Amino acid sequence: MHLLDWLWSLLFGPPRRSPATGPDSNPEVPRPEPTAAVAATRVRLTRRTYTAPTPVARPAAPTSEQSPYLFARPVAGQAVYLDLTQDTDLPRLEHWGLPLLRTPEDLARWLELTPAQLAWLADRFRDPSRVSLHARGDHYHRRWVPKRRGGRRLIESPKRLLKHVQTRILQQILDRVPPDPSAHGFRRGHSIVSNARPHVGQAVVVRLDLADFYPSVTYSRVVALFRSLGYCREIACWLARLTTTTAPQKLLDTASANETTLFRRRHLPQGAPTSPALANLSAFVSDLRLDGLARSFGVRYTRYADDLTFSGPATLRNSLRIFIPLVRQILKQERFHLHPGKRRVERASQRQQVTGVVVNAKVNCCRHDFDLLKAILTNCLRHGPSGQNRDGHVHFASHLRGRIAHIARLNERRGRQLLAIYQQIDWTR
């Protein structure tokens, strides 16, 4: 044994030798065959080459040398026009009971507009981002509104003609397609109470919030949504342009980088009658996946607009390290994002609140809201209502009556107490 080998064996033990190079190996002696039991447990590995799947070719739109219909799109660099009206899904339209529309002329006739008015409202021949703010050509009233917890949101309310068009699209198309059952916001027969009721009496309630819910739904998603309802590509593009908008550049001069990214592209305007229904339908797949994830953990899930609520047994609190990253991953895949500063985990020993409704033992109103409203009504009774309208409500009596109705909906007994005080107030003082 050499000196280095002796030192190695003294410090680390005898050196390991491979069978092919060890002192006892003899390449001329054949190795014994493995027994039948050993041979049965061995797995033979075979080399396989990866073959990329063949992409499904999308059928090309038919072309013609003459315009097949009004406002047909010409092919760039060629003297032909695309015909995007040939892929209407009639069975799907009949399933939902939706109006059959094939061309822009059909859409204008259905909306009771002229083709020129339709093209003007849809910004067919101009870039709306270059329209000056508050100009006659802008179809929206836009204003920044501060949020309670910092930041601001852009309210974009359509003007009279466009609002009439969007209301017709909402009533005749979008309202006929139901969203996922877990969605409770802006649906007939659903409310904050129906959203909170599944979470009553749960050991843990987890509340999450989607960031920039409406601006996250872009023009391409709205086009895909109308295509999924059965409309051809031509009509889907026109409907999407009528229900989305892009902010004028003048409005974004003072905006942050994130606001500029969100509102420069075509998006759902917060303030349009069609936006809540389109947002609910755009979140259909994410609602379906989140509900499946919640069921796999033994948890309940509901969504009201951009508020996500999960509730379940006490074991949910120990699973949040796994559960919340999975929720975040699903939302990211569906092109939504969680608000990093709006996450609440509430146990049964705390006040559990879902969309402003207390759900510890039953659906109930918040005691702080009840006490505050009772104090305002009592002061109105004693000192007169003129000195209590500190927020400057134009119709202060109607405002208080609406707040009483909200509390009565959650707790009938407390609502009767407040109503008794309200009816004694002298509103002429």
Side-chain angles (χ1 to χ4, degrees):
M1 179 182 296
H2 298 289
L3 179 61
L4 293 178
D5 292 339
W6 178 79
L7 290 174
W8 182 276
S9 61
L10 182 63
L11 296 174
F12 306 103
R16 297 182 180 179
R17 302 179 182 271
S18 61
T21 60
D24 299 331
S25 61
N26 187 358
E28 298 180 357
V29 180
R31 299 180 62 182
E33 294 293 332
T35 62
V38 174
T41 59
R42 289 185 175 179
V43 178
R44 182 177 295 276
L45 300 179
T46 58
R47 182 182 296 274
R48 301 182 63 180
T49 58
Y50 172 75
T51 303
T54 304
V56 179
R58 183 177 180 179
T63 60
S64 60
E65 295 184 356
Q66 296 182 351
S67 178
Y69 50 85
L70 191 62
F71 303 133
R73 290 169 172 79
V75 179
Q78 302 180 25
V80 294
Y81 292 85
L82 292 174
D83 187 355
L84 303 180
T85 64
Q86 301 300 315
D87 51 357
T88 303
D89 193 339
L90 290 177
R92 190 167 295 182
L93 292 176
E94 294 175 355
H95 172 75
W96 297 115
L98 304 181
L100 175 60
L101 306 170
R102 292 183 182 273
T103 63
E105 296 98 315
D106 297 338
L107 181 60
R109 194 178 307 112
W110 179 69
L111 293 174
E112 300 177 355
L113 300 172
T114 64
Q117 287 178 315
L118 177 64
W120 177 64
L121 289 176
D123 297 319
R124 178 66 175 82
F125 299 108
R126 66 171 184 172
D127 183 4
S129 64
R130 298 188 177 184
V131 177
S132 60
L133 191 60
H134 306 304
R136 185 175 179 272
D138 190 7
H139 305 305
Y140 290 85
H141 300 286
R142 309 174 196 267
R143 67 185 188 278
W144 292 103
V145 176
K147 298 181 181 179
R148 290 185 301 174
R149 299 183 179 180
R152 59 180 183 174
R153 63 168 49 91
L154 179 60
I155 303 299
E156 300 169 296
S157 304
K159 295 181 180 179
R160 183 178 58 85
L161 181 57
L162 182 58
K163 185 176 182 179
H164 171 74
V165 169
Q166 292 178 346
T167 302
R168 185 171 181 83
I169 295 174
L170 172 67
Q171 295 174 348
Q172 301 296 324
I173 296 179
L174 299 177
D175 279 348
R176 299 184 181 183
V177 184
D180 188 78
S182 59
H184 293 261
F186 313 107
R187 293 183 60 187
R188 186 173 300 174
H190 295 73
S191 64
I192 59 174
V193 178
S194 65
N195 180 67
R197 188 170 288 118
H199 307 288
V200 172
Q202 298 297 313
V204 179
V205 173
V206 180
R207 292 185 292 150
L208 306 174
D209 191 89
L210 294 177
D212 304 313
F213 184 41
Y214 286 148
S216 297
V217 183
T218 58
Y219 168 78
S220 59
R221 296 186 68 167
V222 178
V223 171
L225 174 60
F226 283 114
R227 293 279 291 121
S228 68
L229 300 183
Y231 285 109
C232 61
R233 280 177 277 179
E234 185 69 31
I235 293 300
C237 291
W238 281 91
L239 291 174
R241 296 187 72 89
L242 290 172
T243 54
T244 60
T245 184
T246 179
Q249 183 59 41
K250 290 291 184 182
L251 187 69
L252 301 178
D253 288 343
T254 59
S256 63
N258 182 54
E259 291 171 341
T260 302
T261 302
L262 288 173
F263 299 112
R264 177 179 291 173
R265 62 189 182 185
R266 294 197 73 93
H267 59 276
L268 289 185
Q270 187 169 354
T274 51
S275 293
L278 287 171
N280 275 342
L281 294 176
S282 298
F284 183 89
V285 177
S286 61
D287 286 336
L288 199 65
R289 297 181 63 185
L290 290 176
D291 185 64
L293 174 66
R295 290 176 183 273
S296 66
F297 278 80
V299 175
R300 301 179 181 182
Y301 164 71
T302 61
R303 180 180 61 82
Y304 191 94
D306 57 352
D307 295 326
L308 313 180
T309 307
F310 301 89
S311 66
T315 55
L316 173 61
R317 186 174 178 84
N318 300 327
S319 305
L320 291 181
R321 291 184 178 181
I322 302 174
F323 185 77
I324 292 182
L326 291 176
V327 172
R328 186 181 293 109
Q329 179 181 356
I330 289 175
L331 292 174
K332 185 177 181 180
Q333 292 173 352
E334 300 300 328
R335 290 173 288 176
F336 292 112
H337 300 280
L338 287 178
H339 195 292
K342 294 185 178 180
R343 189 178 81 178
R344 298 290 183 272
V345 179
E346 300 165 342
R347 303 189 223 180
S349 58
Q350 303 169 307
R351 184 179 67 188
Q352 298 174 331
Q353 217 168 349
V354 177
T355 54
V357 180
V358 178
V359 295
N360 286 77
K362 62 179 181 179
V363 172
N364 202 351
C365 64
C366 177
R367 182 58 186 258
H368 175 266
D369 296 342
F370 169 76
D371 292 340
L372 178 60
L373 183 55
K374 184 178 179 181
I376 294 175
L377 294 173
T378 303
N379 289 336
C380 289
L381 179 62
R382 293 177 180 176
H383 310 291
S386 59
Q388 303 302 317
N389 188 10
R390 298 174 182 175
D391 294 332
H393 295 285
V394 179
H395 304 286
F396 187 50
S398 301
H399 168 74
L400 294 179
R401 188 65 181 86
R403 292 175 63 176
I404 293 173
H406 170 69
I407 290 182
R409 187 179 187 183
L410 303 177
N411 191 313
E412 185 177 356
R413 180 180 60 83
R414 290 182 175 177
R416 287 197 301 266
Q417 295 177 10
L418 297 175
L419 185 60
I421 303 174
Y422 176 86
Q423 292 173 345
Q424 300 176 31
I425 299 175
D426 183 5
W427 296 101
T428 61
R429 295 174 62 186

